[in-house]
Amino acid sequence: HDRQQNAGVREPLLEVQGLVKRFGGFTAVSEVSFSLAEGEILGLIGPNGSGKSTTFNLIAGLHAPSGGSVRLHGEEIGGLAPATICHRGIARTFQIPRPFRKLSLLENVAIAAFYGQDQKVSRQKAYADAADALGLVQLPGGADARVDGLGAAGLKKLELARALATQPKVLLADESLGGLDHAEMEQAADMLAMIRREKGITIIWVEHIMGVLMRVVDRCIVLDHGEVIAQGKPAEVAHDPKVIEVYLGTDAAEVQQTVADRTP
Ligand code: ADP
Ligand code: MG
């Protein structure tokens, strides 16, 4: 029986092993290892400064690793250029959105579609894919829909649309909830779940706000000072004494309740 189960286990889509990033004498990411199965939503959580964005930057090619490896479909991608990694199928959103303010939403996303896809695409296809991505995140795709006037939630959606327009296999979503009110946070969480469901995209979601994330992720990794201090299913992590001590503190009961309320 065991053997049969093992035969069904495929190699992980993304595998991070012993990843290290030093900035001068400071180690921001220290021996981080995890793997990501196709179709999973993995939460990467931890306090501010714990190395979450740096881990994303290493996977997405903004930094070269000081040590360790990042493999996509078994192939090493650590240290490749961001555009190359994007073309291989990993897209990311940025914690701080920096759209082209003078362009329409559609033009912003079309640029990502045009330059971010692995295949060379026509201008026409780039615009069509951009319109699809905007539709998926529920932003207007008309020529007169501008960046100005988008609130925090709208800017986060635009970041998502730009990433989705590159047709990724893996989406790295950084701090999707920052600056949002509670209702917007719930919507953002539902949107990531919908993107996985509708597009089959595998997701790593970085967040320091843990409550809402715990409703949606299959598994999470907890970082503290650049090190993995816990990983497992939301219910395991939310009750882990070390996670409660360094991270959850007085929020522990609320996060545990969110996990308990999850529909299986
Ligand atoms: P998080 O996203 O978990 O809040 P970061 O990954 O952004 O944390 O940062 C982790 C640590 O690395 C922080 O102490 C931060 O100041 C430091 N750091 C991040 N990027 C750089 C950089 N380019 N140069 C020097 N230190 C950095
Ligand atoms: Mg960060």
Side-chain angles (χ1 to χ4, degrees):
H1 184 71
D2 267 2
R3 194 135 133 237
Q4 245 176 5
Q5 277 192 335
N6 287 340
V9 174
R10 285 180 293 171
E11 70 168 29
L13 181 55
L14 186 77
E15 189 155 37
V16 170
Q17 249 169 18
L19 198 60
V20 176
K21 182 62 187 177
R22 291 186 209 93
F23 295 111
F26 174 73
T27 305
V29 171
S30 180
E31 298 288 339
V32 166
S33 299
F34 61 85
S35 66
L36 185 67
E38 195 156 355
E40 229 183 346
I41 304 185
L42 177 72
L44 184 59
I45 58 188
N48 277 328
S50 56
K52 306 182 298 295
S53 291
T54 304
T55 301
F56 265 17
N57 289 337
L58 291 166
I59 297 171
L62 271 83
H63 300 315
S66 311
S69 74
V70 182
R71 287 196 208 94
L72 179 68
H73 290 302
E75 271 181 55
E76 182 63 47
I77 58 164
L80 296 181
T84 309
I85 291 175
C86 183
H87 292 158
R88 299 270 182 103
I90 301 182
R92 54 114 19 113
T93 68
F94 284 90
Q95 190 171 349
I96 300 169
R98 291 198 179 87
F100 300 107
R101 297 225 159 237
K102 297 212 163 126
L103 303 182
S104 68
L105 303 184
L106 185 65
E107 287 164 334
N108 266 280
V109 181
I111 288 169
F114 192 76
Y115 291 105
Q117 293 186 27
D118 190 28
Q119 312 283 321
K120 224 173 169 35
V121 297
S122 66
R123 190 185 151 88
Q124 201 177 11
K125 180 169 190 308
Y127 273 89
D129 289 348
D132 284 349
L134 283 168
L136 200 63
V137 303
Q138 294 154 30
L139 280 179
D144 56 348
R146 319 295 307 178
V147 175
D148 286 335
L150 283 184
L155 287 169
K156 300 276 178 184
K157 288 179 183 174
L158 180 57
E159 275 295 294
L160 262 182
R162 296 210 296 177
L164 292 171
T166 70
Q167 315 284 2
K169 295 185 194 80
V170 182
L171 172 69
L172 310 177
D174 198 356
E175 304 264 335
S176 314
L177 302 180
L180 306 189
D181 67 27
H182 192 76
E184 290 169 338
M185 283 191 206
E186 295 286 351
Q187 281 171 10
D190 289 340
M191 189 165 278
L192 288 179
M194 178 271 288
I195 286 166
R196 185 254 299 264
R197 200 172 55 239
E198 300 281 313
K199 295 281 166 186
I201 296 174
T202 304
I203 298 173
I204 309 181
W205 180 7
V206 154
E207 197 61 65
H208 82 281
I209 304 169
M210 197 160 160
V212 184
L213 171 139
M214 293 297 252
R215 191 164 61 73
V216 168
V217 298
D218 302 309
R219 207 155 53 87
C220 44
I221 312 273
V222 188
L223 291 181
D224 185 44
H225 295 294
E227 290 178 16
V228 176
I229 59 161
Q231 57 178 310
K233 293 198 187 310
E236 295 159 4
V237 166
H239 288 89
D240 186 299
K242 200 161 178 191
V243 175
I244 294 169
E245 185 196 320
V246 307
Y247 183 29
L248 289 180
T250 52
D251 292 338
E254 195 189 322
V255 171
Q256 287 161 3
Q257 190 59 49
T258 303
V259 173
D261 290 345
R262 273 174 68 126
T263 42

